[in-house]
Amino acid sequence: MPNRGVAYFSAEFGLDESLPIYSGGLGILAGDHIKAAADLNIPLTGVGIFYKRGYFQQHISESGWQQQLYPEVDLAASIYPVQLVKDTEERPIIIAVEIAGRQVYASAWRVELGSVTLYLLSTDVEANSDADRHLTDTLYPSNQDVRISQEMILGIGGVKLLAALGIQPDVWHMNEGHSAFLAFERIRMLSAEGVPFETALEAAKANAVFTTHTPVPAGHDVFSIEMIDRYIGHYYWQMGASRERVLSLGELEGAFNMTRLAVRTSSKVNGVSKLHGEVTRELFHRWMPHIPIQDIPVDSVTNGVHAGTWLAEGIKQLYDTHLASGWAVRTQETQVWDAVRDIPADELWEMHQRAKSEMVRALGLNLPSLGEAPLVIGFARRFATYKRALLIFSDLERLARILGDPQRPVCLVFAGKAHPADEPGKDMIRRIVELSREERFKGRVHIVENYTMNKAKKLVQGVDVWLNTPVKPMEASGTSGQKAAMNGVLNCSVLDGWWVEGYNRRNGWAIDGVTNGDPGCQAQQDSETLYRLLEEEIIPLYYQRDEREIPAEWVDMMKESICSLTPVYNTHRMVSDYWHQVYAPAAARGSRFAADNFEIASRVSAYKQFIRANWPSVQVRSVEILGEHSGRIGLNKSTFRAEIALGTIWHKDVHVEAVGSDGRLGIWKAKLEPVQQLAAGTYVYEGVMADVPIDIREANVNVRVTPISPDFANEFEMELAVWG
C-alpha cells in the first residue's frame, strides 16, 4: 500500500464556487476526488494551477448570445483558505520551468482539505516578464502557445514543486493528459542522477497511472512537432535520449498527442465508466490495430460524486434522522441506504419540495402559478453539440402541448456555458433564449445565466427530473445525474456513460435508442422516445396523487433511485476502487522497479530494447486446424498447429495462442506450446481448444505471437504482435 501517498495532477479542481478554477465535469470530479480522499484519510497531494482569472463568468446578452467576463479571483472570498507556499524562512517558494528557451518562474498556493493538500502553481510573480505573468490567467486558453506553456507548468513545474517541498509520492496520477509532461521531468531528474533514459522511463512508468475522460479523438490535446521542438527541445539531451526517441513517446499521425504520451508513460490506464472503457479501447485500437479491441489494456473506474458537497440540507437532515450513525462516511455501504425505504413518504416528499422551493427562490425562476409547483425538468451541463440540449425541442408543437397542459404543467430549466471558441455551442444557448420568449413557452422554458457550482447544487437538489440526452457513446461518464439521484431526483437519460450501469428499470427512465450511425435518424428516434416517456410515464406518474396528495409511486421510485444508485456512484466508493485497483498495485510496482539501484527497471529496459531490435524477424509461417470434431451440443474441440520463426528471441519470451471470434463481439483464446524445434529459432507450436463456442469455420481464427515478461504491467505493454 502507498505510504508516501499519491500525487494527483489535474488541470482544474472544482472545490467550491468561491475558488473558480474549474470549467466543468473534469474539475468537479477532481475536486470531489480529493475531498473523498480527505474523508477517507488517504494520503494524497493535489497539483494544479491557480488561474488568476479562473474560468469565465457568463453573461447572456439581450439577443441571447453568451458573453465572457474574466474578473480576478477574490482569494479573500474563498471558503477554503488559500495560502502562499513559503520556505522555513518565510520566503515564497519559487520554481523555474524552461519554456521555449527562457526561464519562467512560478509560485505556489496551498489549499488544505483535512489530510489532503492541494498545491496550485501561478506564474504571476515579479521575476517574470509581463507576458509570462499572464500565462496562468485563464483556464483552457485557445492560444496553443499559452496552452502548451500551461501544460509544461503543470506537469514539469508540478514535479519540481513536489521535489522542492520534499514530497516523494509512491504513485503519480494524471487526471487527463494535460499533465503528461510530468513524465519528462521525472525522467530528467533520474537522468541527472546517472540513470540511463530507458531505465528511467521504466522506473517512471512503473508507478504512473492515467485516467482518460475523453471518448473522441478531437478531445485530446495535440501539438505540432515543430511546437514540441521549440518548447521542449532543450529537454531531449537532459533526458539522455535522442530527439526521435523522446518524440516517439507522444507522436501520432504526424503530431504530438498528450494522451498518447500519458498512455506510453503509465503502467495503468482507466476510463471513467464501463462503457467509456470499451469506447477508449476502440479509440486506442486505431493506434495499435494489430491488437484486438478486447485486448487493449484499458480498465475502468466509474466516476462518483461527493455526497457531502451535493446533498441538499433538508435531505441531509432526513438521512441523519433515519440512516445509521456515521452514514456520511459510509456512503459506499449498501445496507446503510436500505433504511431510506423506511422513510415516511410524506417526509421525503416534503424535503424535496423544500429543495424545489429553494431552487426557485435562489435562481429567480418565474414558474406558472397554478397551485402546486409544476413538474420541473432540469438540463444543466456544458453546451457542446454532442450533448444535444435542443433534442427536446425537436417537435415544437408537441412540446408546447406537453408543457402547456393546464392540468399537468411542466417546466424546463436549462443552464450551462459554451467554450468561448465554440460558436455552435453558443448558438444553442441563443436558440433556447429565443424559444423561451415565444408566447407558448413563456414561463415554461427557463435558462439560468452563469452556471456555477452553487447553481448546480440548487438544480440537482430541486428539479424533479434530471434530463441527459448526449449522442451515445460520447458521454464518458457524466456525474450530474448522480448528484441528482442522491437527492431523490429521478434521471431520464440516454443509456450512456454511468447511466447504462446504474439504470435498473425501476430507478428512472432510459432513452434507449439503438445507434445506427445516422445522427439525424438517431435524433429523431431519441426525441420520439423522450416525448413518449414524458406523455405516457413521467408526467402521469408525477401527477398521480394519493389521499394525502402525495405521488406515492413517484416517491417509491425516488427511494429506489437513492438506494440503488447512491452507494455505488459516490466518490468514497470511487476513491476506494482507485486505492485497491490502481494506487496500491502501482505503488508496489514502483517500489520493485526502483529497488536495488533500479535493477528491475534496468532489466526490463534492456529486454524491451532487445525485443524491439529483433521483433521484425518473428514470423508465423503456417497455421493448421487439426482434429476438429463435435463435442457437446453446439461446441467443438479443435487442435491448432503453427510453425513459428522466432530468430534470436527465446521461445519462453513469447506467448503464442490461437485467437478467434466467439460470434458475440468477443474473442476466445487457446494457448499453444512448443512441441518441436525444426531449426535454430524455428518451432512447431500446438494447442487445443476444448469448447470452441462457434463453428470454427466462422470464427476467423488466427495465431498470434506476443512478447511477454513477468515484469510487464500487462501482456500487451510493448504493443507488439505478429499474426499468421
PDB file of all heavy atoms in Angstrom, residues 589-611:
ATOM      1  N   ARG A 589       4.510  -1.751  -7.601  1.00  0.00           N
ATOM      2  CA  ARG A 589       5.305  -1.884  -8.818  1.00  0.00           C
ATOM      3  C   ARG A 589       6.440  -0.848  -8.843  1.00  0.00           C
ATOM      4  O   ARG A 589       7.587  -1.156  -9.172  1.00  0.00           O
ATOM      5  CB  ARG A 589       4.396  -1.717 -10.033  1.00  0.00           C
ATOM      6  CG  ARG A 589       5.084  -1.894 -11.374  1.00  0.00           C
ATOM      7  CD  ARG A 589       4.066  -1.833 -12.511  1.00  0.00           C
ATOM      8  NE  ARG A 589       4.717  -1.884 -13.812  1.00  0.00           N
ATOM      9  CZ  ARG A 589       5.140  -3.004 -14.381  1.00  0.00           C
ATOM     10  NH1 ARG A 589       4.977  -4.163 -13.764  1.00  0.00           N
ATOM     11  NH2 ARG A 589       5.742  -2.975 -15.558  1.00  0.00           N
ATOM     12  N   GLY A 590       6.117   0.365  -8.488  1.00  0.00           N
ATOM     13  CA  GLY A 590       7.138   1.407  -8.463  1.00  0.00           C
ATOM     14  C   GLY A 590       8.253   1.092  -7.488  1.00  0.00           C
ATOM     15  O   GLY A 590       9.434   1.327  -7.780  1.00  0.00           O
ATOM     16  N   SER A 591       7.883   0.559  -6.338  1.00  0.00           N
ATOM     17  CA  SER A 591       8.886   0.198  -5.335  1.00  0.00           C
ATOM     18  C   SER A 591       9.798  -0.913  -5.842  1.00  0.00           C
ATOM     19  O   SER A 591      11.019  -0.864  -5.662  1.00  0.00           O
ATOM     20  CB  SER A 591       8.174  -0.242  -4.050  1.00  0.00           C
ATOM     21  OG  SER A 591       9.112  -0.625  -3.071  1.00  0.00           O
ATOM     22  N   ARG A 592       9.212  -1.906  -6.505  1.00  0.00           N
ATOM     23  CA  ARG A 592      10.024  -3.011  -7.050  1.00  0.00           C
ATOM     24  C   ARG A 592      10.983  -2.514  -8.125  1.00  0.00           C
ATOM     25  O   ARG A 592      12.146  -2.908  -8.176  1.00  0.00           O
ATOM     26  CB  ARG A 592       9.108  -4.087  -7.651  1.00  0.00           C
ATOM     27  CG  ARG A 592       8.432  -4.992  -6.651  1.00  0.00           C
ATOM     28  CD  ARG A 592       7.935  -6.279  -7.291  1.00  0.00           C
ATOM     29  NE  ARG A 592       7.144  -6.070  -8.492  1.00  0.00           N
ATOM     30  CZ  ARG A 592       7.508  -6.438  -9.715  1.00  0.00           C
ATOM     31  NH1 ARG A 592       8.687  -7.006  -9.917  1.00  0.00           N
ATOM     32  NH2 ARG A 592       6.704  -6.224 -10.744  1.00  0.00           N
ATOM     33  N   PHE A 593      10.493  -1.635  -8.995  1.00  0.00           N
ATOM     34  CA  PHE A 593      11.323  -1.172 -10.106  1.00  0.00           C
ATOM     35  C   PHE A 593      12.454  -0.256  -9.635  1.00  0.00           C
ATOM     36  O   PHE A 593      13.485  -0.162 -10.304  1.00  0.00           O
ATOM     37  CB  PHE A 593      10.455  -0.457 -11.145  1.00  0.00           C
ATOM     38  CG  PHE A 593       9.869  -1.376 -12.183  1.00  0.00           C
ATOM     39  CD1 PHE A 593       9.100  -2.478 -11.816  1.00  0.00           C
ATOM     40  CD2 PHE A 593      10.084  -1.158 -13.522  1.00  0.00           C
ATOM     41  CE1 PHE A 593       8.559  -3.328 -12.759  1.00  0.00           C
ATOM     42  CE2 PHE A 593       9.554  -2.009 -14.491  1.00  0.00           C
ATOM     43  CZ  PHE A 593       8.793  -3.108 -14.106  1.00  0.00           C
ATOM     44  N   ALA A 594      12.271   0.409  -8.499  1.00  0.00           N
ATOM     45  CA  ALA A 594      13.305   1.320  -8.001  1.00  0.00           C
ATOM     46  C   ALA A 594      14.315   0.628  -7.095  1.00  0.00           C
ATOM     47  O   ALA A 594      15.407   1.160  -6.865  1.00  0.00           O
ATOM     48  CB  ALA A 594      12.643   2.477  -7.250  1.00  0.00           C
ATOM     49  N   ALA A 595      13.955  -0.558  -6.594  1.00  0.00           N
ATOM     50  CA  ALA A 595      14.815  -1.244  -5.621  1.00  0.00           C
ATOM     51  C   ALA A 595      16.161  -1.645  -6.236  1.00  0.00           C
ATOM     52  O   ALA A 595      16.282  -1.826  -7.455  1.00  0.00           O
ATOM     53  CB  ALA A 595      14.093  -2.482  -5.077  1.00  0.00           C
ATOM     54  N   ASP A 596      17.148  -1.784  -5.355  1.00  0.00           N
ATOM     55  CA  ASP A 596      18.484  -2.260  -5.765  1.00  0.00           C
ATOM     56  C   ASP A 596      19.017  -1.474  -6.954  1.00  0.00           C
ATOM     57  O   ASP A 596      19.467  -2.037  -7.965  1.00  0.00           O
ATOM     58  CB  ASP A 596      18.442  -3.763  -6.104  1.00  0.00           C
ATOM     59  CG  ASP A 596      18.000  -4.608  -4.923  1.00  0.00           C
ATOM     60  OD1 ASP A 596      18.397  -4.269  -3.788  1.00  0.00           O
ATOM     61  OD2 ASP A 596      17.253  -5.575  -5.129  1.00  0.00           O
ATOM     62  N   ASN A 597      18.961  -0.145  -6.808  1.00  0.00           N
ATOM     63  CA  ASN A 597      19.509   0.735  -7.841  1.00  0.00           C
ATOM     64  C   ASN A 597      18.848   0.493  -9.195  1.00  0.00           C
ATOM     65  O   ASN A 597      19.518   0.421 -10.221  1.00  0.00           O
ATOM     66  CB  ASN A 597      21.037   0.574  -7.941  1.00  0.00           C
ATOM     67  CG  ASN A 597      21.691   1.737  -8.637  1.00  0.00           C
ATOM     68  OD1 ASN A 597      21.184   2.859  -8.587  1.00  0.00           O
ATOM     69  ND2 ASN A 597      22.808   1.474  -9.302  1.00  0.00           N
ATOM     70  N   PHE A 598      17.517   0.377  -9.174  1.00  0.00           N
ATOM     71  CA  PHE A 598      16.707   0.229 -10.390  1.00  0.00           C
ATOM     72  C   PHE A 598      17.030  -1.053 -11.157  1.00  0.00           C
ATOM     73  O   PHE A 598      16.997  -1.084 -12.388  1.00  0.00           O
ATOM     74  CB  PHE A 598      16.877   1.451 -11.316  1.00  0.00           C
ATOM     75  CG  PHE A 598      16.536   2.758 -10.659  1.00  0.00           C
ATOM     76  CD1 PHE A 598      17.535   3.621 -10.236  1.00  0.00           C
ATOM     77  CD2 PHE A 598      15.211   3.115 -10.449  1.00  0.00           C
ATOM     78  CE1 PHE A 598      17.223   4.821  -9.619  1.00  0.00           C
ATOM     79  CE2 PHE A 598      14.890   4.326  -9.837  1.00  0.00           C
ATOM     80  CZ  PHE A 598      15.903   5.172  -9.419  1.00  0.00           C
ATOM     81  N   GLU A 599      17.283  -2.120 -10.425  1.00  0.00           N
ATOM     82  CA  GLU A 599      17.697  -3.372 -11.066  1.00  0.00           C
ATOM     83  C   GLU A 599      16.617  -3.901 -12.014  1.00  0.00           C
ATOM     84  O   GLU A 599      16.910  -4.262 -13.164  1.00  0.00           O
ATOM     85  CB  GLU A 599      18.028  -4.418  -9.986  1.00  0.00           C
ATOM     86  CG  GLU A 599      18.686  -5.678 -10.537  1.00  0.00           C
ATOM     87  CD  GLU A 599      17.687  -6.737 -10.969  1.00  0.00           C
ATOM     88  OE1 GLU A 599      16.595  -6.790 -10.366  1.00  0.00           O
ATOM     89  OE2 GLU A 599      18.001  -7.496 -11.912  1.00  0.00           O
ATOM     90  N   ILE A 600      15.344  -3.943 -11.567  1.00  0.00           N
ATOM     91  CA  ILE A 600      14.284  -4.468 -12.431  1.00  0.00           C
ATOM     92  C   ILE A 600      14.017  -3.506 -13.585  1.00  0.00           C
ATOM     93  O   ILE A 600      13.850  -3.931 -14.737  1.00  0.00           O
ATOM     94  CB  ILE A 600      12.992  -4.725 -11.629  1.00  0.00           C
ATOM     95  CG1 ILE A 600      13.215  -5.876 -10.633  1.00  0.00           C
ATOM     96  CG2 ILE A 600      11.829  -5.054 -12.557  1.00  0.00           C
ATOM     97  CD1 ILE A 600      12.014  -6.188  -9.769  1.00  0.00           C
ATOM     98  N   ALA A 601      13.993  -2.205 -13.309  1.00  0.00           N
ATOM     99  CA  ALA A 601      13.777  -1.230 -14.384  1.00  0.00           C
ATOM    100  C   ALA A 601      14.853  -1.365 -15.448  1.00  0.00           C
ATOM    101  O   ALA A 601      14.572  -1.298 -16.655  1.00  0.00           O
ATOM    102  CB  ALA A 601      13.762   0.185 -13.814  1.00  0.00           C
ATOM    103  N   SER A 602      16.088  -1.565 -15.021  1.00  0.00           N
ATOM    104  CA  SER A 602      17.195  -1.730 -15.972  1.00  0.00           C
ATOM    105  C   SER A 602      17.030  -3.004 -16.788  1.00  0.00           C
ATOM    106  O   SER A 602      17.232  -3.008 -18.014  1.00  0.00           O
ATOM    107  CB  SER A 602      18.528  -1.749 -15.209  1.00  0.00           C
ATOM    108  OG  SER A 602      19.603  -1.960 -16.089  1.00  0.00           O
ATOM    109  N   ARG A 603      16.648  -4.081 -16.108  1.00  0.00           N
ATOM    110  CA  ARG A 603      16.473  -5.357 -16.804  1.00  0.00           C
ATOM    111  C   ARG A 603      15.337  -5.278 -17.826  1.00  0.00           C
ATOM    112  O   ARG A 603      15.463  -5.763 -18.958  1.00  0.00           O
ATOM    113  CB  ARG A 603      16.196  -6.462 -15.777  1.00  0.00           C
ATOM    114  CG  ARG A 603      16.135  -7.861 -16.382  1.00  0.00           C
ATOM    115  CD  ARG A 603      16.008  -8.912 -15.291  1.00  0.00           C
ATOM    116  NE  ARG A 603      14.683  -8.940 -14.695  1.00  0.00           N
ATOM    117  CZ  ARG A 603      14.462  -8.973 -13.390  1.00  0.00           C
ATOM    118  NH1 ARG A 603      15.475  -8.960 -12.532  1.00  0.00           N
ATOM    119  NH2 ARG A 603      13.228  -9.022 -12.923  1.00  0.00           N
ATOM    120  N   VAL A 604      14.221  -4.662 -17.429  1.00  0.00           N
ATOM    121  CA  VAL A 604      13.087  -4.549 -18.335  1.00  0.00           C
ATOM    122  C   VAL A 604      13.437  -3.676 -19.535  1.00  0.00           C
ATOM    123  O   VAL A 604      13.079  -3.988 -20.677  1.00  0.00           O
ATOM    124  CB  VAL A 604      11.849  -3.987 -17.593  1.00  0.00           C
ATOM    125  CG1 VAL A 604      10.739  -3.610 -18.573  1.00  0.00           C
ATOM    126  CG2 VAL A 604      11.330  -5.012 -16.592  1.00  0.00           C
ATOM    127  N   SER A 605      14.143  -2.581 -19.296  1.00  0.00           N
ATOM    128  CA  SER A 605      14.505  -1.700 -20.413  1.00  0.00           C
ATOM    129  C   SER A 605      15.422  -2.414 -21.389  1.00  0.00           C
ATOM    130  O   SER A 605      15.257  -2.289 -22.615  1.00  0.00           O
ATOM    131  CB  SER A 605      15.155  -0.415 -19.900  1.00  0.00           C
ATOM    132  OG  SER A 605      16.437  -0.664 -19.341  1.00  0.00           O
ATOM    133  N   ALA A 606      16.389  -3.183 -20.891  1.00  0.00           N
ATOM    134  CA  ALA A 606      17.301  -3.921 -21.779  1.00  0.00           C
ATOM    135  C   ALA A 606      16.527  -4.987 -22.554  1.00  0.00           C
ATOM    136  O   ALA A 606      16.753  -5.185 -23.762  1.00  0.00           O
ATOM    137  CB  ALA A 606      18.420  -4.555 -20.961  1.00  0.00           C
ATOM    138  N   TYR A 607      15.618  -5.657 -21.867  1.00  0.00           N
ATOM    139  CA  TYR A 607      14.818  -6.695 -22.512  1.00  0.00           C
ATOM    140  C   TYR A 607      13.965  -6.108 -23.634  1.00  0.00           C
ATOM    141  O   TYR A 607      13.897  -6.642 -24.743  1.00  0.00           O
ATOM    142  CB  TYR A 607      13.940  -7.372 -21.457  1.00  0.00           C
ATOM    143  CG  TYR A 607      12.950  -8.379 -22.004  1.00  0.00           C
ATOM    144  CD1 TYR A 607      13.378  -9.606 -22.481  1.00  0.00           C
ATOM    145  CD2 TYR A 607      11.582  -8.093 -22.033  1.00  0.00           C
ATOM    146  CE1 TYR A 607      12.461 -10.540 -22.977  1.00  0.00           C
ATOM    147  CE2 TYR A 607      10.667  -9.010 -22.517  1.00  0.00           C
ATOM    148  CZ  TYR A 607      11.113 -10.227 -22.997  1.00  0.00           C
ATOM    149  OH  TYR A 607      10.217 -11.137 -23.498  1.00  0.00           O
ATOM    150  N   LYS A 608      13.308  -4.962 -23.353  1.00  0.00           N
ATOM    151  CA  LYS A 608      12.467  -4.335 -24.363  1.00  0.00           C
ATOM    152  C   LYS A 608      13.288  -3.892 -25.572  1.00  0.00           C
ATOM    153  O   LYS A 608      12.845  -4.025 -26.722  1.00  0.00           O
ATOM    154  CB  LYS A 608      11.717  -3.136 -23.763  1.00  0.00           C
ATOM    155  CG  LYS A 608      10.554  -3.511 -22.860  1.00  0.00           C
ATOM    156  CD  LYS A 608       9.811  -2.265 -22.398  1.00  0.00           C
ATOM    157  CE  LYS A 608       8.571  -2.614 -21.588  1.00  0.00           C
ATOM    158  NZ  LYS A 608       7.831  -1.414 -21.147  1.00  0.00           N
ATOM    159  N   GLN A 609      14.475  -3.353 -25.319  1.00  0.00           N
ATOM    160  CA  GLN A 609      15.323  -2.928 -26.435  1.00  0.00           C
ATOM    161  C   GLN A 609      15.723  -4.127 -27.300  1.00  0.00           C
ATOM    162  O   GLN A 609      15.736  -4.039 -28.530  1.00  0.00           O
ATOM    163  CB  GLN A 609      16.570  -2.211 -25.904  1.00  0.00           C
ATOM    164  CG  GLN A 609      16.255  -0.843 -25.288  1.00  0.00           C
ATOM    165  CD  GLN A 609      17.475  -0.205 -24.662  1.00  0.00           C
ATOM    166  OE1 GLN A 609      18.327   0.357 -25.349  1.00  0.00           O
ATOM    167  NE2 GLN A 609      17.580  -0.293 -23.342  1.00  0.00           N
ATOM    168  N   PHE A 610      16.028  -5.252 -26.646  1.00  0.00           N
ATOM    169  CA  PHE A 610      16.383  -6.464 -27.396  1.00  0.00           C
ATOM    170  C   PHE A 610      15.190  -6.958 -28.217  1.00  0.00           C
ATOM    171  O   PHE A 610      15.327  -7.295 -29.400  1.00  0.00           O
ATOM    172  CB  PHE A 610      16.839  -7.559 -26.420  1.00  0.00           C
ATOM    173  CG  PHE A 610      17.001  -8.907 -27.068  1.00  0.00           C
ATOM    174  CD1 PHE A 610      18.119  -9.208 -27.827  1.00  0.00           C
ATOM    175  CD2 PHE A 610      16.019  -9.883 -26.930  1.00  0.00           C
ATOM    176  CE1 PHE A 610      18.261 -10.448 -28.444  1.00  0.00           C
ATOM    177  CE2 PHE A 610      16.137 -11.119 -27.534  1.00  0.00           C
ATOM    178  CZ  PHE A 610      17.268 -11.400 -28.291  1.00  0.00           C
ATOM    179  N   ILE A 611      14.008  -6.981 -27.592  1.00  0.00           N
ATOM    180  CA  ILE A 611      12.809  -7.450 -28.300  1.00  0.00           C
ATOM    181  C   ILE A 611      12.516  -6.555 -29.502  1.00  0.00           C
ATOM    182  O   ILE A 611      12.250  -7.047 -30.616  1.00  0.00           O
ATOM    183  CB  ILE A 611      11.600  -7.497 -27.348  1.00  0.00           C
ATOM    184  CG1 ILE A 611      11.772  -8.601 -26.291  1.00  0.00           C
ATOM    185  CG2 ILE A 611      10.296  -7.698 -28.131  1.00  0.00           C
ATOM    186  CD1 ILE A 611      11.698 -10.007 -26.828  1.00  0.00           C
TER     187      ILE A 611
END
